[in-house]
C-alpha cells in the first residue's frame, strides 16, 4: 500500500480536520493503540516497564504539558520540575487524607491543583516575556522545591522528609505500592497518557489552540484582532500545568513510589523535559512523544551498545550521552526548531510524492 | 451639513448610511510629539472612507486610536450612537471593528487557514470543556465556521495556499491573507492601513476589486489609509486629509482634490 492522499478525498470539513487526515496514518495510529493496550501488557516485565515504558509514558504527558505552554503559546518555562513536584505532593496529600477515594481521581485532582498553582506563577507572564519570564519560572522551580522540603505538613511530618506512595487499587488490582504488577502500572499510565494526548490534541486544533499560537507568533496583533491575552496566557499556563501535575503525580505514585523532592523534581527535571520538547518539536503533540521516547531510550540504547556490547566504561558512556544530547539541542535549535516531528513531516511529504518528486 | 442620523445617496448612486463612528476633537501626544492635533471626523455606514496625508501625518496613529491601541489624551470616540469608554484593543475588536496593519501582522507559524480561522473569535464561543472533548457543539461550531471561512478564502482567491504556513508566502499574498483574517470577523467596520503598499499595478488592481466587492457584497463600512492617489480617488466616497497631525481637508474626492491646503501639503509648500 502506498502512502497517498490521492483517492482519499475529503468530502467534508469534519474529515479534513481529523487528527490523522491520511488513511494510512489513521490505521497506524489504531495499530499502535491496539498493540499498546492488547499486546504489550502481556509481554512486558519489570525491567522494560521501569526502564522504558513508565518513564516514556509519564514524560510524554509532561512534555505535552510544557509543549502547550512553550511550543504553542510561546511562554518559556524552566519550572516544569517544580510543577511536577506540586502534582506529586498534591497526589500524596490526597492519597493519605482520603484513602477511600479512587487513585484515578486523586491523580486528576493533583493535575487540577497544579493547574491552579501554574496560573498563579503564570501571572507575571502578563508583564514580562522571554528571558525574564524564564528567570521568573526558574525562581518558581527553586521556591517550590524549597517549600516541599521545608514545610513538614507536605510530607506528613515523616522523619525522612520523603513521601511514600501507599498501596491503591483500580478494580481490585494494585497500581501503586510495592505489590504493583508491571502490567497494571503500565496500563494505568497508558490510559492517562492517551487521555491527556487526546485532550491536548483537541484543544490545540480548535479555537483555544489558535489563540495560543496567535499569542506566540505576535501578541500585539493577536490582541488587536480580538484575543484576550490575559485569558490566552493563563489558560495555557493552566492546561500546561494540569498535564505537568498529572505527570508529577504518576512519576511519584506509580513510577518511583518514594520521592525526595530535590532529587526527583530538581532543576535537572525541568531541563530534561525542555530538551524533550526541543528535540521532539515545539508546537507538536506527536513531537512531545518523539522527544520523550528519544531521551528515555538514548541512555538505555547507549548502555546496551556501549557498555554491554562494546565493553566501554560506564562513565565514558555517561559522558557520551551528555555530549550527544547537548549537540542535538544546539543542532535542533539552529537547524530545525520544529524538531523530530518536522523531520518526520518532511519525510512523509517526500514519501507522498515518491517516486516522482516534481 | 448633512444629518447625522440619516443616510444619503451619492452622485454615482451609492447609498451611504447614517454616522456609525465619530471622532470628536482627538488629540494624541507621545511625550513632546503631537501625533494628532484636535481632529474630528465621522465615518458613515456603508461608505469607503479614506484617510490620506504625507508620511508621518498621523494616519496610522488615528487608526490605532480607533482600534483602542492608543488612548488619546483628549477627545472622544463615539460608536453606534454612544460614547465609547476607554477600552482594550481586544474589546474593541469584539465590538465588530477589524483591521489590517501597515507592516503585515500575521501569525507566521500558522497556516493560512488557521490565521483566517483565528479571525472568527467572535463567532466561536464554545466553552473550554466542549473544546477539550471535541464533541457536539465544539465540532459543529468548528465546521460551521470553517464553511464561512472557506467562502472568504474562495472570495479572495487564496484556496491554493490554505494549508501553507504564512511565513512562506510572498508579500502580496500575505496582504491578502491579512484581509481575509479581518473579513473573517464579519466586522461592521473594517480598517485597512495601506492595503496596497509595496504592490505592483496588477496586485493593486486585484486588491481594489476585493475592497470594492467587500463593501458591495457585505455592506461593510471601510476606513482605509492609502498613498496612491489614483486608488484613493477611485475607491473612496469621502476623504480625510491629514498633515502634521492636523486635519486639512475633508470631503468627496473631488472637493479634496481642489482644496488649496491639500495641494500645498502634497506639493511640499513650506510650513510656517
Ligand atoms: N508609539 C509611538 N511612540 C512615539 N511616537 C510615535 C508613536 N507612533 C507614532 N509616533 C509618531 O507620531 C507621528 C505620526 O506617525 P504615524 O505612524 O501615525 O504616521 P503615518 O501618517 O501613518 O505615516 P506613514 O505614512 O509613514 O505610515 C510620527 O511623528 C511618529 O514618529
Ligand atoms: Mg502609517
Amino acid at each position: 500500500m502506498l502512502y497517498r492522499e490521492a483517492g482519499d478525498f475529503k468530502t467534508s470539513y469534519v474529515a479534513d480536520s481529523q487528527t490523522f487526515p491520511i488513511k494510512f496514518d489513521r490505521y497506524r495510529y489504531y495499530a499502535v493503540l491496539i498493540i499498546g493496550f492488547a499486546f504489550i501488557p502481556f509481554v512486558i516485565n519489570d525491567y522494560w516497564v521501569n526502564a522504558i515504558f513508565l518513564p516514556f509514558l509519564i514524560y510524554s504527558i509532561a512534555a505535552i504539558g510544557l509543549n502547550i505552554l512553550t511550543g504553542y503559546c510561546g511562554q518559556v518555562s524552566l519550572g516544569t520540575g517544580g510543577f511536577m513536584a506540586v502534582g506529586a505532593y498534591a497526589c500524596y496529600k490526597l492519597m493519605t487524607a482520603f484513602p477511600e477515594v479512587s487513585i484515578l481521581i486523586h491523580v486528576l485532582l493533583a493535575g487540577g491543583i497544579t493547574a491552579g498553582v501554574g496560573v498563579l506563577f503564570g501571572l507575571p507572564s502578563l508583564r514580562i516575556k522571554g528571558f525574564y519570564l524564564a528567570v521568573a519560572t526558574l525562581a518558581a522551580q527553586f521556591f517550590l522545591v524549597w517549600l516541599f522540603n521545608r514545610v513538614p505538613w507536605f510530607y506528613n511530618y515523616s522523619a525522612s522528609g520523603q513521601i511514600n506512595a501507599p498501596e491503591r487499587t483500580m478494580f481490585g488490582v494494585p497500581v501503586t505500592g510495592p505489590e504493583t504488577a508491571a502490567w497494571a502500572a503500565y496500563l494505568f499510565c497508558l490510559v492517562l497518557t492517551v487521555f491527556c494526548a487526546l485532550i491536548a490534541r483537541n484543544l490545540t486544533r480548535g479555537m483555544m489552540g489558535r489563540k495560543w499560537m496567535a499569542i506566540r507568533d505576535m501578541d500585539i496583533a493577536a490582541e488587536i484582532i480580538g484575543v484576550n491575552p490575559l485569558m490566552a496566557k493563563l489558560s495555557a499556563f493552566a492546561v500546561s500545568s494540569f498535564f505537568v501535575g498529572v505527570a508529577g503525580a504518576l512519576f511519584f505514585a506509580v513510577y518511583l513510589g518514594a520521592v525526595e523532592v530535590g532529587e526527583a523534581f530538581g532543576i535537572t527535571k525541568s531541563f530534561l523535559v525542555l530538551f524533550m520538547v526541543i528535540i521532539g518539536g515545539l508546537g507538536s503533540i506527536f513531537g512531545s512523544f518523539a522527544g520523550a521516547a528519544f531521551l528515555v531510550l538514548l541512555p538505555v540504547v547507549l548502555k546496551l551498545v556501549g557498555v554491554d556490547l562494546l565493553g566501554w566504561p560506564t562513565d565514558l558512556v555517561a559522558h557520551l550521552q551528555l555530549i550527544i544530547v547537548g549537540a542535538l539541542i544546539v543542532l535542533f535549535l539552529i537547524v530545525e526548531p520544529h524538531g523530530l516531528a518536522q523531520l518526520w513531516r518532511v519525510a512523509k511529504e517526500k514519501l507522498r510524492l515518491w517516486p516522482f518528486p516534481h | 451639513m448633512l444629518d447625522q442620523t440619516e443616510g444619503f445617496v451619492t452622485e454615482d448612486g451609492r447609498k451611504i448610511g447614517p454616522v456609525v463612528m465619530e471622532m470628536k476633537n482627538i488629540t494624541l501626544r507621545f511625550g513632546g510629539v503631537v501625533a494628532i492635533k484636535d481632529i474630528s471626523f465621522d465615518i458613515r455606514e456603508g461608505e469607503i472612507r479614506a484617510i490620506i496625508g504625507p508620511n508621518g501625518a498621523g494616519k496610522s496613529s488615528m487608526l490605532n486610536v480607533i482600534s483602542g491601541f492608543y488612548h488619546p489624551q483628549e477627545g472622544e470616540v463615539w460608536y453606534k450612537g454612544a460614547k465609547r469608554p476607554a477600552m482594550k484593543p481586544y474589546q474593541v475588536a469584539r465590538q465588530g471593528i477589524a483591521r489590517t496593519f501597515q507592516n503585515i501582522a500575521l501569525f507566521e507559524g500558522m497556516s493560512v487557514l488557521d490565521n483566517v480561522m483565528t479571525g472568527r473569535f467572535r463567532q466561536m464561543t464554545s466553552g473550554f470543556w466542549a473544546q477539550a472533548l471535541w464533541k457536539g457543539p465544539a465540532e459543529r461550531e468548528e465546521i460551521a465556521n470553517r464553511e464561512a471561512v472557506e467562502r472568504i478564502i474562495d472570495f479572495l482567491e487564496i484556496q491554493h495556499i490554505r494549508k501553507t504556513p504564512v511565513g512562506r508566502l510572498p508579500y502580496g499574498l500575505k496582504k491578502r491573507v491579512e484581509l481575509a483574517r479581518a473579513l473573517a470577523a464579519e466586522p461592521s467596520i473594517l480598517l485597512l492601513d495601506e492595503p496596497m503598499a509595496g504592490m505592483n499595478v496588477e496586485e493593486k488592481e486585484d486588491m481594489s476589486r476585493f475592497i470594492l466587492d467587500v463593501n458591495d457584497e457585505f455592506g461593510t463600512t471601510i476606513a482605509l489609509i492609502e498613498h496612491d492617489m489614483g486608488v484613493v480617488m477611485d475607491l473612496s466616497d469621502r476623504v480625510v486629509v491629514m498633515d502634521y497631525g492636523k486635519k486639512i481637508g475633508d470631503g468627496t474626492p473631488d472637493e479634496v482634490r481642489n482644496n488649496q491646503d491639500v495641494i500645498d501639503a502634497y506639493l511640499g509648500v513650506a510650513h510656517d
Side-chain angles (χ1 to χ4, degrees):
Chain A
M1 181 175 153
L2 285 176
Y3 185 72
R4 282 297 132 89
E5 277 178 318
D8 191 8
F9 294 113
K10 308 298 177 303
T11 47
S12 71
Y13 298 131
V14 188
D16 197 40
S17 54
Q18 284 176 123
T19 302
F20 298 102
I22 293 182
K23 243 190 208 134
F24 188 74
D25 283 337
R26 214 145 58 228
Y27 291 151
R28 193 179 45 223
Y29 164 72
Y30 292 138
V32 168
L33 274 189
I34 290 171
I35 293 172
F37 276 102
F39 178 67
I40 293 177
F42 294 103
V43 297
I44 43 173
N45 55 25
D46 276 344
Y47 172 75
W48 288 107
V49 161
N50 286 322
I52 294 178
F53 285 103
L54 286 190
F56 164 64
L57 292 174
I58 294 170
Y59 280 128
S60 294
I61 300 179
I64 289 172
L66 183 62
N67 218 331
I68 282 179
L69 188 64
T70 304
Y72 283 93
C73 197
Q75 313 297 304
V76 186
S77 168
L78 293 175
T80 314
F83 291 119
M84 284 179 80
V86 173
Y89 278 78
C91 190
Y92 173 70
K93 290 301 286 185
L94 288 166
M95 283 169 90
T96 49
F98 308 100
E100 64 290 343
V101 176
S102 162
I103 172 76
L104 185 64
I105 296 192
H106 285 328
V107 170
L108 295 177
L109 279 179
I113 290 170
T114 315
V117 177
V119 168
L120 209 64
F121 283 101
L123 285 174
S125 74
L126 305 173
R127 292 250 162 248
I128 56 178
K129 291 180 196 170
F131 174 72
Y132 298 96
L133 182 63
V135 172
T137 58
L138 194 62
Q141 163 75 40
F142 285 110
F143 169 74
L144 289 168
V145 168
W146 173 87
L147 184 74
F148 294 128
N149 248 330
R150 283 309 161 89
V151 181
W153 179 81
F154 285 114
Y155 48 84
N156 284 357
Y157 307 95
S158 77
S160 61
Q162 282 197 347
I163 55 174
N164 289 286
E167 179 175 304
R168 294 289 180 267
T169 59
M170 289 289 294
F171 309 111
V173 180
V175 291
T176 66
E179 301 302 314
T180 308
W183 65 270
Y186 163 79
L187 270 185
F188 185 65
C189 290
L190 181 63
V191 167
L192 279 160
T193 308
V194 171
F195 169 76
C196 289
L198 285 178
I199 298 246
R201 175 63 194 152
N202 285 344
L203 285 175
T204 49
R205 70 177 157 167
M207 202 57 189
M208 184 73 80
R210 286 193 287 268
K211 285 181 177 171
W212 290 337
M213 290 187 278
I215 290 286
R216 171 196 69 191
D217 285 351
M218 199 174 252
D219 53 355
I220 290 178
E223 179 169 12
I224 292 186
I225 72 152
V227 178
N228 180 346
L230 177 95
M231 291 302 288
K233 283 180 185 171
L234 290 189
S235 65
F237 267 97
V239 173
S240 159
S241 307
F242 172 83
F243 291 137
V244 172
V246 166
L250 292 176
F251 200 75
F252 150 68
V254 182
Y255 181 49
L256 294 181
V259 153
E260 196 282 311
V261 62
E263 209 173 293
F265 300 118
I267 181 73
T268 47
K269 192 105 321 166
S270 296
F271 279 112
L272 180 64
V273 179
L274 185 62
F275 291 167
M276 287 173 177
V277 171
I278 291 172
I279 290 179
L282 289 161
S284 158
I285 303 294
F286 169 76
S288 312
F289 281 103
F294 186 84
L295 284 189
V296 167
L297 283 176
L298 184 66
V300 178
V301 170
L302 279 182
K303 183 179 168 300
L304 221 64
V305 175
V307 182
D308 301 350
L309 216 64
L310 301 174
W312 293 345
T314 333
D315 56 340
L316 175 75
V317 173
H319 288 145
L320 197 63
Q321 183 189 334
L322 285 179
I323 293 168
I324 292 178
V325 172
L328 280 177
I329 296 288
V330 174
L331 194 74
F332 274 116
L333 279 181
I334 295 173
V335 183
E336 187 47 87
H338 298 293
L340 291 173
Q342 178 68 10
L343 296 182
W344 178 238
R345 260 195 299 272
V346 171
K348 286 204 295 190
E349 203 79 16
K350 294 247 162 74
L351 192 59
R352 201 182 292 178
L353 300 174
W354 184 87
F356 306 109
H358 294 293
Chain B
M1 188 75 197
L2 283 161
D3 190 331
Q4 290 243 330
T5 54
E6 266 171 51
F8 62 96
V9 179
T10 63
E11 286 151 24
D12 37 350
R14 283 169 50 79
K15 281 199 195 68
I16 305 296
V19 169
V20 55
M21 173 160 273
E22 193 177 2
M23 316 300 288
K24 292 186 180 172
N25 306 97
I26 302 285
T27 295
L28 176 73
R29 283 183 289 265
F30 297 105
V33 181
V34 185
I36 301 174
K37 204 181 283 171
D38 194 26
I39 289 191
S40 304
F41 71 99
D42 59 16
I43 301 173
R44 286 175 172 271
E45 215 164 282
E47 78 172 334
I48 299 182
R49 185 75 147 129
I51 303 175
I52 64 171
N55 286 351
K59 308 179 295 294
S60 296
S61 301
M62 183 56 89
L63 235 48
N64 280 327
V65 168
I66 300 179
S67 294
F69 189 61
Y70 291 158
H71 297 278
Q73 280 79 12
E74 285 156 46
E76 297 171 353
V77 180
W78 285 63
Y79 181 53
K80 292 188 174 165
K83 185 184 165 193
R84 194 173 79 182
M87 273 187 176
K88 297 233 162 68
Y90 74 88
Q91 294 169 316
V92 172
R94 283 169 193 203
Q95 287 198 328
I97 298 178
R99 68 172 289 180
T100 65
F101 299 82
Q102 185 167 354
N103 314 306
I104 303 167
L106 285 166
F107 309 125
E108 300 264 315
M110 297 160 69
S111 68
V112 168
L113 185 61
D114 276 335
N115 265 277
V116 183
M117 285 291 280
T118 311
R120 298 292 289 179
F121 63 92
R122 283 213 299 162
Q123 289 78 11
M124 299 185 69
T125 52
S126 67
F128 174 81
W129 289 108
Q131 288 186 54
L133 304 173
W134 194 258
K135 274 291 145 227
E139 189 172 5
R140 277 197 299 279
E141 187 184 81
E142 182 86 11
I143 301 309
N145 283 282
R146 173 76 189 273
E147 278 162 8
V149 160
E150 287 290 343
R151 279 196 296 275
I152 292 166
I153 286 178
D154 283 352
F155 176 75
L156 292 177
E157 297 159 19
I158 46 177
Q159 306 90 327
H160 57 296
I161 49 164
R162 60 158 86 72
K163 294 279 169 81
T164 312
V166 160
R168 284 199 221 148
L169 296 178
Y171 180 83
L173 277 178
K174 281 189 185 173
K175 281 270 187 198
R176 218 186 278 184
V177 174
E178 214 191 6
L179 178 61
R181 184 181 66 187
L183 281 181
E186 294 178 14
S188 8
I189 300 184
L190 179 61
L191 310 172
L192 306 173
D193 196 344
E194 305 199 15
M196 288 164 237
M199 286 187 167
N200 61 34
V201 178
E202 201 180 321
E203 288 172 323
K204 277 187 186 178
E205 278 170 4
D206 280 344
M207 190 51 100
S208 301
R209 183 164 51 84
F210 290 135
I211 291 172
L212 282 173
D213 284 353
V214 168
N215 177 256
D216 235 34
E217 287 185 26
F218 311 125
T220 312
T221 308
I222 296 174
L224 71 93
I225 297 174
E226 187 48 56
H227 279 294
D228 185 323
M229 275 308 147
V231 169
V232 171
M233 297 301 157
D234 280 352
L235 286 184
S236 50
D237 296 303
R238 293 190 298 155
V239 184
V240 177
V241 191
M242 293 177 68
D243 188 23
Y244 285 96
K246 282 182 290 200
K247 184 167 104 170
I248 57 169
D250 189 351
T252 63
D254 280 333
E255 287 166 7
V256 162
R257 200 182 351 224
N258 299 318
N259 177 324
Q260 192 56 46
D261 289 339
V262 176
I263 295 168
D264 290 350
Y266 271 89
L267 292 179
V269 170
H271 288 262
D272 46 323

